[in-house]
Amino acid sequence: MNGQPGNALWYRAARVQVQMYDPSWPERYAEEAELLTRALAGSLLAVEHVGSTAVPGLAAKPVIDILAAVQDFNEFPALVERLQKIGYTYTPESEADDPSRRVFRKGPEDLTRLRTHHLHVTEQGSDYWRRLVAFRDHLRANPEDAASYVTLKRELAARHAADPGRYTRDKRDFVREIERRATSPPPSPGQMSRAAATGRGQGWRHRK
């Protein structure tokens, strides 16, 4: 198998596929979370279903994104070994844009097929944890933004089906803006009045 750290083709070869929401995704997450809880007993502090498959009704790539929190990365080599035993491969290439996380992929050996799971490991209380959970919760609570995200993903999938890296990069501005809004403190009454008076605060909308 070519799924070794440093081999970017292992997880980038599969074409981008955005599918209709599958009601089985939460069940697939729950099964994997139970497996992770057993495999990382004593190290795993929290686990969450994140990403598009965690938002009911949202079209997505059929890859289950899982966010896991550990105390710190002091025992990371042992963590890698424990995850390898349940089918995960550590892919440090994925961390270039955010060194506060450690990323693992799980899935078939066939390089032309999508991974089945992405596991994002971060330290307890990290900003990365806060952002991913806030993004998921925002899309769950704001159908208009969720719909805009689906439109953007479908456009990018059609344009960059053979280039998953470009697909991900071109979503980044949308994701960062939603994360910013989702993690910002609520405006004070005075700020709300000023925003209404100036016509601001209408939110981000994707435009072609």
Tab-separated table of all heavy atoms in Angstrom, residues 107-137:
chain	number	residue	atom	x	y	z
A	107	GLY	N	-9.448	4.341	4.750
A	107	GLY	CA	-10.229	3.988	3.584
A	107	GLY	C	-9.581	2.915	2.747
A	107	GLY	O	-8.597	2.298	3.151
A	108	PRO	N	-10.108	2.710	1.553
A	108	PRO	CA	-9.638	1.623	0.690
A	108	PRO	C	-8.233	1.860	0.159
A	108	PRO	O	-7.767	2.994	0.081
A	108	PRO	CB	-10.665	1.621	-0.446
A	108	PRO	CG	-11.159	3.025	-0.499
A	108	PRO	CD	-11.189	3.486	0.930
A	109	GLU	N	-7.572	0.767	-0.202
A	109	GLU	CA	-6.231	0.874	-0.767
A	109	GLU	C	-6.252	1.392	-2.197
A	109	GLU	O	-5.261	1.926	-2.687
A	109	GLU	CB	-5.535	-0.483	-0.715
A	109	GLU	CG	-5.275	-0.975	0.698
A	109	GLU	CD	-4.446	-2.244	0.720
A	109	GLU	OE1	-3.941	-2.641	-0.359
A	109	GLU	OE2	-4.296	-2.838	1.800
A	110	ASP	N	-7.377	1.238	-2.872
A	110	ASP	CA	-7.525	1.720	-4.243
A	110	ASP	C	-7.428	3.239	-4.255
A	110	ASP	O	-8.285	3.940	-3.704
A	110	ASP	CB	-8.881	1.258	-4.795
A	110	ASP	CG	-9.085	1.654	-6.252
A	110	ASP	OD1	-8.302	2.472	-6.777
A	110	ASP	OD2	-10.048	1.142	-6.856
A	111	LEU	N	-6.388	3.768	-4.890
A	111	LEU	CA	-6.138	5.201	-4.863
A	111	LEU	C	-7.196	6.022	-5.594
A	111	LEU	O	-7.259	7.235	-5.426
A	111	LEU	CB	-4.760	5.510	-5.452
A	111	LEU	CG	-3.560	4.878	-4.750
A	111	LEU	CD1	-2.278	5.284	-5.456
A	111	LEU	CD2	-3.517	5.285	-3.288
A	112	THR	N	-8.009	5.391	-6.426
A	112	THR	CA	-9.020	6.140	-7.169
A	112	THR	C	-10.321	6.266	-6.395
A	112	THR	O	-11.258	6.905	-6.870
A	112	THR	CB	-9.314	5.466	-8.517
A	112	THR	OG1	-9.908	4.176	-8.282
A	112	THR	CG2	-8.041	5.297	-9.332
A	113	ARG	N	-10.402	5.666	-5.215
A	113	ARG	CA	-11.620	5.722	-4.408
A	113	ARG	C	-11.445	6.683	-3.242
A	113	ARG	O	-10.342	6.858	-2.716
A	113	ARG	CB	-11.970	4.323	-3.894
A	113	ARG	CG	-12.288	3.332	-5.002
A	113	ARG	CD	-12.455	1.931	-4.462
A	113	ARG	NE	-13.543	1.870	-3.492
A	113	ARG	CZ	-13.768	0.819	-2.702
A	113	ARG	NH1	-12.965	-0.229	-2.761
A	113	ARG	NH2	-14.776	0.824	-1.853
A	114	LEU	N	-12.544	7.295	-2.845
A	114	LEU	CA	-12.504	8.246	-1.737
A	114	LEU	C	-12.165	7.547	-0.429
A	114	LEU	O	-12.478	6.380	-0.228
A	114	LEU	CB	-13.861	8.932	-1.576
A	114	LEU	CG	-14.232	10.019	-2.575
A	114	LEU	CD1	-15.681	10.423	-2.357
A	114	LEU	CD2	-13.315	11.225	-2.431
A	115	ARG	N	-11.562	8.322	0.463
A	115	ARG	CA	-11.378	7.834	1.831
A	115	ARG	C	-12.762	7.646	2.452
A	115	ARG	O	-13.742	8.232	2.027
A	115	ARG	CB	-10.602	8.842	2.667
A	115	ARG	CG	-9.235	9.256	2.107
A	115	ARG	CD	-8.329	8.069	1.855
A	115	ARG	NE	-8.433	7.580	0.492
A	115	ARG	CZ	-8.085	6.373	0.098
A	115	ARG	NH1	-7.665	5.495	0.968
A	115	ARG	NH2	-8.191	6.019	-1.160
A	116	THR	N	-12.835	6.868	3.493
A	116	THR	CA	-14.103	6.712	4.205
A	116	THR	C	-14.201	7.647	5.408
A	116	THR	O	-15.290	8.093	5.757
A	116	THR	CB	-14.279	5.263	4.690
A	116	THR	OG1	-13.168	4.913	5.547
A	116	THR	CG2	-14.329	4.303	3.512
A	117	HIS	N	-13.048	7.939	6.028
A	117	HIS	CA	-13.031	8.784	7.227
A	117	HIS	C	-11.804	9.700	7.219
A	117	HIS	O	-10.728	9.295	6.758
A	117	HIS	CB	-12.961	7.937	8.506
A	117	HIS	CG	-14.087	6.973	8.680
A	117	HIS	ND1	-14.133	5.766	8.002
A	117	HIS	CD2	-15.213	7.025	9.439
A	117	HIS	CE1	-15.237	5.111	8.342
A	117	HIS	NE2	-15.908	5.849	9.195
A	118	HIS	N	-11.990	10.891	7.723
A	118	HIS	CA	-10.896	11.806	8.034
A	118	HIS	C	-10.945	12.057	9.534
A	118	HIS	O	-11.995	12.437	10.071
A	118	HIS	CB	-11.049	13.143	7.302
A	118	HIS	CG	-10.828	13.061	5.835
A	118	HIS	ND1	-11.104	14.106	4.976
A	118	HIS	CD2	-10.331	12.071	5.054
A	118	HIS	CE1	-10.816	13.755	3.739
A	118	HIS	NE2	-10.348	12.525	3.751
A	119	LEU	N	-9.830	11.861	10.198
A	119	LEU	CA	-9.750	12.088	11.635
A	119	LEU	C	-8.832	13.266	11.908
A	119	LEU	O	-7.666	13.267	11.505
A	119	LEU	CB	-9.223	10.834	12.340
A	119	LEU	CG	-8.971	10.963	13.843
A	119	LEU	CD1	-10.271	11.223	14.598
A	119	LEU	CD2	-8.277	9.702	14.376
A	120	HIS	N	-9.373	14.278	12.581
A	120	HIS	CA	-8.613	15.474	12.933
A	120	HIS	C	-8.367	15.433	14.442
A	120	HIS	O	-9.323	15.489	15.229
A	120	HIS	CB	-9.408	16.741	12.590
A	120	HIS	CG	-9.954	16.757	11.190
A	120	HIS	ND1	-9.454	17.568	10.204
A	120	HIS	CD2	-10.978	16.054	10.620
A	120	HIS	CE1	-10.134	17.372	9.078
A	120	HIS	NE2	-11.063	16.456	9.306
A	121	VAL	N	-7.117	15.340	14.836
A	121	VAL	CA	-6.777	15.279	16.257
A	121	VAL	C	-6.158	16.609	16.669
A	121	VAL	O	-5.272	17.135	15.985
A	121	VAL	CB	-5.790	14.132	16.545
A	121	VAL	CG1	-5.462	14.065	18.033
A	121	VAL	CG2	-6.364	12.796	16.074
A	122	THR	N	-6.622	17.163	17.774
A	122	THR	CA	-6.118	18.433	18.260
A	122	THR	C	-6.046	18.388	19.777
A	122	THR	O	-6.559	17.468	20.411
A	122	THR	CB	-7.009	19.603	17.791
A	122	THR	OG1	-6.388	20.846	18.110
A	122	THR	CG2	-8.392	19.539	18.443
A	123	GLU	N	-5.370	19.372	20.345
A	123	GLU	CA	-5.234	19.408	21.793
A	123	GLU	C	-6.480	20.014	22.430
A	123	GLU	O	-7.160	20.858	21.842
A	123	GLU	CB	-3.998	20.221	22.187
A	123	GLU	CG	-2.704	19.540	21.744
A	123	GLU	CD	-1.467	20.331	22.105
A	123	GLU	OE1	-1.524	21.584	22.083
A	123	GLU	OE2	-0.438	19.710	22.417
A	124	GLN	N	-6.767	19.571	23.626
A	124	GLN	CA	-7.954	20.031	24.343
A	124	GLN	C	-7.975	21.557	24.441
A	124	GLN	O	-6.970	22.179	24.778
A	124	GLN	CB	-7.982	19.423	25.736
A	124	GLN	CG	-9.225	19.768	26.548
A	124	GLN	CD	-9.170	19.171	27.936
A	124	GLN	OE1	-8.100	19.089	28.542
A	124	GLN	NE2	-10.313	18.741	28.446
A	125	GLY	N	-9.123	22.157	24.121
A	125	GLY	CA	-9.275	23.607	24.240
A	125	GLY	C	-8.645	24.415	23.123
A	125	GLY	O	-8.584	25.645	23.213
A	126	SER	N	-8.208	23.772	22.046
A	126	SER	CA	-7.541	24.496	20.961
A	126	SER	C	-8.521	25.357	20.172
A	126	SER	O	-9.727	25.099	20.135
A	126	SER	CB	-6.853	23.506	20.011
A	126	SER	OG	-7.815	22.798	19.252
A	127	ASP	N	-7.972	26.357	19.504
A	127	ASP	CA	-8.782	27.193	18.623
A	127	ASP	C	-9.321	26.360	17.448
A	127	ASP	O	-10.427	26.607	16.969
A	127	ASP	CB	-7.942	28.364	18.100
A	127	ASP	CG	-8.730	29.289	17.189
A	127	ASP	OD1	-9.680	29.919	17.682
A	127	ASP	OD2	-8.389	29.381	15.992
A	128	TYR	N	-8.550	25.387	17.025
A	128	TYR	CA	-8.993	24.526	15.924
A	128	TYR	C	-10.280	23.787	16.298
A	128	TYR	O	-11.222	23.725	15.498
A	128	TYR	CB	-7.882	23.529	15.583
A	128	TYR	CG	-8.172	22.678	14.376
A	128	TYR	CD1	-8.102	23.215	13.093
A	128	TYR	CD2	-8.508	21.329	14.507
A	128	TYR	CE1	-8.370	22.437	11.975
A	128	TYR	CE2	-8.773	20.546	13.388
A	128	TYR	CZ	-8.702	21.103	12.128
A	128	TYR	OH	-8.974	20.328	11.026
A	129	TRP	N	-10.321	23.230	17.502
A	129	TRP	CA	-11.542	22.561	17.976
A	129	TRP	C	-12.718	23.535	17.965
A	129	TRP	O	-13.799	23.227	17.454
A	129	TRP	CB	-11.323	22.007	19.375
A	129	TRP	CG	-12.554	21.404	19.994
A	129	TRP	CD1	-13.608	22.073	20.568
A	129	TRP	CD2	-12.886	20.013	20.064
A	129	TRP	NE1	-14.558	21.180	21.005
A	129	TRP	CE2	-14.153	19.913	20.708
A	129	TRP	CE3	-12.241	18.841	19.665
A	129	TRP	CZ2	-14.768	18.695	20.951
A	129	TRP	CZ3	-12.850	17.625	19.913
A	129	TRP	CH2	-14.115	17.550	20.552
A	130	ARG	N	-12.489	24.700	18.510
A	130	ARG	CA	-13.559	25.691	18.625
A	130	ARG	C	-14.090	26.084	17.244
A	130	ARG	O	-15.306	26.189	17.034
A	130	ARG	CB	-13.022	26.924	19.357
A	130	ARG	CG	-14.067	27.995	19.667
A	130	ARG	CD	-13.476	29.062	20.578
A	130	ARG	NE	-12.433	29.815	19.924
A	130	ARG	CZ	-12.611	31.006	19.342
A	130	ARG	NH1	-13.814	31.555	19.335
A	130	ARG	NH2	-11.613	31.631	18.772
A	131	ARG	N	-13.208	26.279	16.279
A	131	ARG	CA	-13.630	26.710	14.949
A	131	ARG	C	-14.437	25.639	14.223
A	131	ARG	O	-15.461	25.937	13.607
A	131	ARG	CB	-12.400	27.102	14.114
A	131	ARG	CG	-11.748	28.396	14.541
A	131	ARG	CD	-10.725	28.885	13.532
A	131	ARG	NE	-9.514	28.076	13.479
A	131	ARG	CZ	-9.212	27.240	12.500
A	131	ARG	NH1	-10.046	27.075	11.477
A	131	ARG	NH2	-8.085	26.563	12.520
A	132	LEU	N	-13.977	24.381	14.267
A	132	LEU	CA	-14.685	23.333	13.543
A	132	LEU	C	-16.070	23.068	14.121
A	132	LEU	O	-17.035	22.875	13.379
A	132	LEU	CB	-13.860	22.039	13.532
A	132	LEU	CG	-13.025	21.832	12.255
A	132	LEU	CD1	-11.954	22.914	12.143
A	132	LEU	CD2	-12.408	20.442	12.231
A	133	VAL	N	-16.181	23.080	15.437
A	133	VAL	CA	-17.482	22.854	16.064
A	133	VAL	C	-18.406	24.044	15.787
A	133	VAL	O	-19.597	23.864	15.496
A	133	VAL	CB	-17.321	22.607	17.569
A	133	VAL	CG1	-18.676	22.593	18.269
A	133	VAL	CG2	-16.585	21.284	17.813
A	134	ALA	N	-17.852	25.255	15.843
A	134	ALA	CA	-18.667	26.444	15.591
A	134	ALA	C	-19.168	26.469	14.146
A	134	ALA	O	-20.322	26.836	13.884
A	134	ALA	CB	-17.862	27.704	15.891
A	135	PHE	N	-18.326	26.072	13.204
A	135	PHE	CA	-18.729	26.031	11.795
A	135	PHE	C	-19.882	25.045	11.601
A	135	PHE	O	-20.897	25.370	10.970
A	135	PHE	CB	-17.531	25.626	10.936
A	135	PHE	CG	-17.818	25.539	9.468
A	135	PHE	CD1	-17.887	26.681	8.694
A	135	PHE	CD2	-18.006	24.307	8.844
A	135	PHE	CE1	-18.159	26.616	7.324
A	135	PHE	CE2	-18.272	24.221	7.486
A	135	PHE	CZ	-18.340	25.376	6.728
A	136	ARG	N	-19.746	23.853	12.158
A	136	ARG	CA	-20.817	22.862	12.061
A	136	ARG	C	-22.119	23.377	12.673
A	136	ARG	O	-23.187	23.281	12.068
A	136	ARG	CB	-20.393	21.583	12.776
A	136	ARG	CG	-21.450	20.492	12.795
A	136	ARG	CD	-21.228	19.522	13.932
A	136	ARG	NE	-21.375	20.167	15.232
A	136	ARG	CZ	-21.017	19.607	16.388
A	136	ARG	NH1	-20.453	18.405	16.401
A	136	ARG	NH2	-21.205	20.247	17.528
A	137	ASP	N	-22.030	23.931	13.873
A	137	ASP	CA	-23.231	24.403	14.558
A	137	ASP	C	-23.889	25.551	13.816
A	137	ASP	O	-25.124	25.659	13.785
A	137	ASP	CB	-22.892	24.816	15.995
A	137	ASP	CG	-22.534	23.628	16.877
A	137	ASP	OD1	-22.763	22.475	16.453
A	137	ASP	OD2	-22.027	23.862	17.991
